[in-house]
């Protein structure tokens, strides 16, 4: 990976992280465009994480990179769950669905489930970034 490509990935990740933060913080206020900011940020952040590759042999760095990618997947799932309220209302109104499936889908699309996936993704991202930074300073 050349230096220009590396800077582009870093820029995508940084701008995506800012949009993630803005979207998540403003979503709580109920602003209708907040999920779109979060969605754009999560796509940019995740694309930066997915395209940043590690080709070495260090098992610890490979594990930490996998955790970063997993954290990015959780951040993308958060974006999907932010748009789940209309789906939740549709399932709530649909009485013909099998009761077990309906109950599962209602629990999955409950209003604040996005907070759980956001927290999991943030923990993965923070832990792995601090550990990767510490490992890079040791070498």
């Amino acid at each position: 990976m050349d230096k220009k490509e590396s800077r582009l990935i870093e820029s995508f990740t940084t701008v995506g992280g800012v949009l993630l933060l803005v979207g998540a913080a403003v979503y709580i206020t109920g602003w209708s465009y907040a999920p779109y900011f979060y969605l754009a940020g999560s796509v940019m952040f995740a694309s930066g994480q997915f395209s940043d590759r590690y080709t070495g042999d260090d098992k610890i760095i490979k594990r930490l990179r996998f955790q970063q990618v997993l954290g990015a997947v959780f951040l993308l799932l958060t974006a999907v769950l932010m748009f789940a309220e209309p789906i939740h209302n549709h399932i709530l109104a649909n009485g013909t669905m099998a009761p077990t499936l309906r109950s599962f889908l209602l629990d999955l699309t409950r209003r604040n489930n996005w907070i759980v996936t956001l927290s999991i993704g943030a923990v993965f991202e923070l832990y792995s970034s601090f550990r990767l930074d510490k490992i890079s300073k040791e070498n």
Side-chain angles (χ1 to χ4, degrees):
M1 181 180 315
D2 65 350
K3 192 169 188 152
K4 184 178 179 182
E5 207 174 283
S6 178
R7 281 187 290 164
L8 183 64
I9 290 171
E10 186 179 325
S11 299
F12 244 60
T13 306
T14 302
V15 171
V18 169
L19 286 174
L20 278 170
L21 183 61
V22 168
V26 176
Y27 184 81
I28 296 169
T29 66
W31 188 45
S32 61
Y33 293 110
Y36 297 101
F37 275 90
Y38 186 88
L39 177 64
S42 66
V43 168
M44 289 176 73
F45 187 84
S47 65
Q49 289 289 345
F50 296 154
S51 61
D52 188 19
R53 302 266 186 228
Y54 174 70
T55 56
D57 294 330
D58 190 349
K59 290 181 182 181
I60 294 173
I61 295 177
K62 283 183 179 182
R63 176 184 53 87
L64 291 169
R65 279 294 304 138
F66 176 74
Q67 287 177 352
Q68 280 187 322
V69 169
L70 189 61
V73 169
F74 272 103
L75 295 177
L76 286 169
L77 180 60
T78 301
V80 171
L81 290 176
M82 282 182 161
F83 289 100
E85 187 175 350
I87 297 168
H88 181 81
N89 293 337
H90 178 72
I91 294 169
L92 199 57
N94 185 358
T96 62
M97 194 178 295
T100 309
L101 177 64
R102 184 172 188 249
S103 175
F104 173 73
L105 291 174
L106 284 173
D107 285 342
L108 184 65
T109 58
R110 198 173 314 141
R111 186 175 181 106
N112 290 329
N113 280 350
W114 66 274
I115 295 172
V116 175
T117 56
L118 176 66
S119 300
I120 293 170
V123 167
F124 276 137
E125 291 293 337
L126 283 172
Y127 173 76
S128 57
S129 67
F130 281 117
R131 286 285 295 140
L132 283 169
D133 186 47
K134 183 178 179 184
I135 289 172
S136 69
K137 286 181 181 176
E138 289 175 356
N139 294 332

